[in-house]
Amino acid sequence: MDLLLWRHAEAADGSPDVTRELTPKGRRDAREMARWLVDRGPPDLAVFASPAVRAQQTAAALGCSARVLPALAPGTNVARLLDTLPWPQDGGAWLLVGHQPMLGRLAALLLCGQEADWSFRKGALWWLRSRRRHGAWQPQLYALLDPALVIR
């Protein structure tokens, strides 16, 4: 399974938190990362996003509609999100557009076996893969991209 974790791009300050929108820089970063994903990402990518406006706007840069996944909302926990994921068995490709600290904690758990507060920059993308080898599932970090690396 391919599991791509994309932190929403830069958003303006404001309240309530879930209505914050992307800044012009955030829209540009999301657009460039989306271009990279379309060119190099896995085919048949299922796209899921937090209900927060900034995550929805980040996902929309792909040019397709994202399914809202309440387990990706700000303030939810990794255990709730894991209940919705087919990791590692599913052979498909999922893109999750969400928030910190949950995405960092999820990456740590899937790659190392325990939650940790890993930093996840705004607009960054982590691409994880699972494979079955010698009868056991193995997680792999396939790619990690900072928006600064994909800006043209």
Side-chain angles (χ1 to χ4, degrees), residues 90-147:
D90 184 85
W94 283 34
L95 171 65
L96 306 179
V97 183
H99 310 272
Q100 274 296 87
M102 186 178 24
L103 290 179
R105 290 176 181 164
L106 177 64
L109 178 64
L110 297 180
L111 292 171
C112 296
Q114 65 183 33
E115 284 187 44
D117 287 325
W118 286 4
S119 180
F120 218 104
R121 283 185 45 131
K122 290 177 183 160
L125 177 79
W126 291 40
W127 186 344
L128 286 61
R129 282 196 163 158
S130 64
R131 68 177 181 172
R132 193 152 179 85
R133 188 165 188 169
H134 307 298
W137 288 103
Q138 294 179 335
Q140 299 176 311
L141 177 58
Y142 186 67
L144 192 154
L145 291 169
D146 186 278

Side-chain angles (χ1 to χ4, degrees), residues 6 46-60 65-73 95-99:
W6 190 8
V47 181
F48 300 88
S50 158
V53 170
R54 61 193 180 276
Q56 292 290 316
Q57 289 175 329
T58 299
S65 60
R67 288 179 256 176
V68 173
L69 189 61
L72 283 169
L95 171 65
L96 306 179
V97 183
H99 310 272

Side-chain angles (χ1 to χ4, degrees), residues 11-22 51-55 57 74 99:
D13 292 333
S15 184
D17 181 61
V18 296
T19 63
R20 293 173 42 217
E21 295 190 10
L22 295 181
V53 170
R54 61 193 180 276
Q57 289 175 329
H99 310 272

